Amino acid sequence: DSGLSGGIESYTFNTVNGTDYYVYIAHYGAGNTTTGNFTISRTCTTPPTPPDNDDPCTATVLTPGGTCIPTPGTLEAATDSGIDSCFGTPDNDVWYSFVATNTAHTVTISNFAGSDTDMYHAVYGPIIAPDDCNDVATTNNLTCEDFEDFTELSGLTVGATYYVQVFTYSAGPETTTFDICVGTPPPPPANDNCSGAIALTVPEVGA
């Protein structure tokens, strides 16, 4: 409806080849007998191709490192993987995976731009053979993050694969772009526990 203005009305939707679609046209007011002419047209365009990492089994592989090296990502044309264990609306989710090289790693999502920058991400795992990407939906959801786009993970299994799901909080198609990386926290100092305490020498009084 064009707000009773008589203006141009349009509607965009996805179609399936070989399917018949019907367009119903009527006056806004019930029982109105107003008649007149109108023009109707349609335009068909090829939808954009989803990102390569649209599903867990085509996840982009990230390599953990001491320095967080960002990998660019996009949600444009992403579709719903059907995995939803958090808040938000993962109808435009993309996927990343990494193999844990430490019991602790960080996931950082940054440099958001585009139609919606209210980002959301979840981490699933561990996936250990013979389990694979098809088991993500039934594995542990380690964290769901909305307000924080930096996640500290601990208690990880070295050598296991973990999957990161990235999407926006709101529903609908997005053109959002971002950077993502997996880092490794530095080791604690030698005196992190009492067993490694550094002995201090107290000088004698009057010495």
Side-chain angles (χ1 to χ4, degrees), residues 32-165:
N32 194 293
T33 58
T34 300
T35 60
N37 298 323
F38 62 87
T39 300
I40 185 172
S41 62
R42 59 105 179 100
T43 300
C44 295
T45 59
T46 302
T49 303
D52 291 338
N53 59 338
D54 197 40
D55 291 296
C57 287
T58 57
T60 297
V61 178
L62 302 175
T63 301
T67 300
C68 213
I69 301 176
T71 295
T74 181
L75 298 182
E76 186 170 7
T79 63
D80 190 344
S81 67
I83 298 176
D84 181 6
S85 61
C86 300
F87 292 105
T89 311
D91 61 343
N92 50 25
D93 57 347
V94 292
W95 290 84
Y96 297 85
S97 69
F98 67 91
V99 175
T101 57
N102 196 358
T103 57
H105 284 299
T106 60
V107 176
T108 303
I109 301 175
S110 59
N111 298 327
F112 326 116
S115 54
D116 187 353
T117 57
D118 185 3
M119 304 295 291
Y120 210 112
H121 69 277
V123 180
Y124 300 83
I127 301 294
I128 303 173
D131 292 346
D132 59 19
C133 58
N134 294 297
D135 298 296
V136 172
T138 57
T139 195
N140 294 329
N141 174 5
L142 301 182
T143 182
C144 295
E145 296 292 343
D146 178 19
F147 300 107
E148 295 292 339
D149 296 301
F150 173 83
T151 300
E152 293 181 324
L153 302 169
S154 60
L156 304 181
T157 301
V158 174
T161 301
Y162 294 82
Y163 287 82
V164 183
Q165 179 188 30

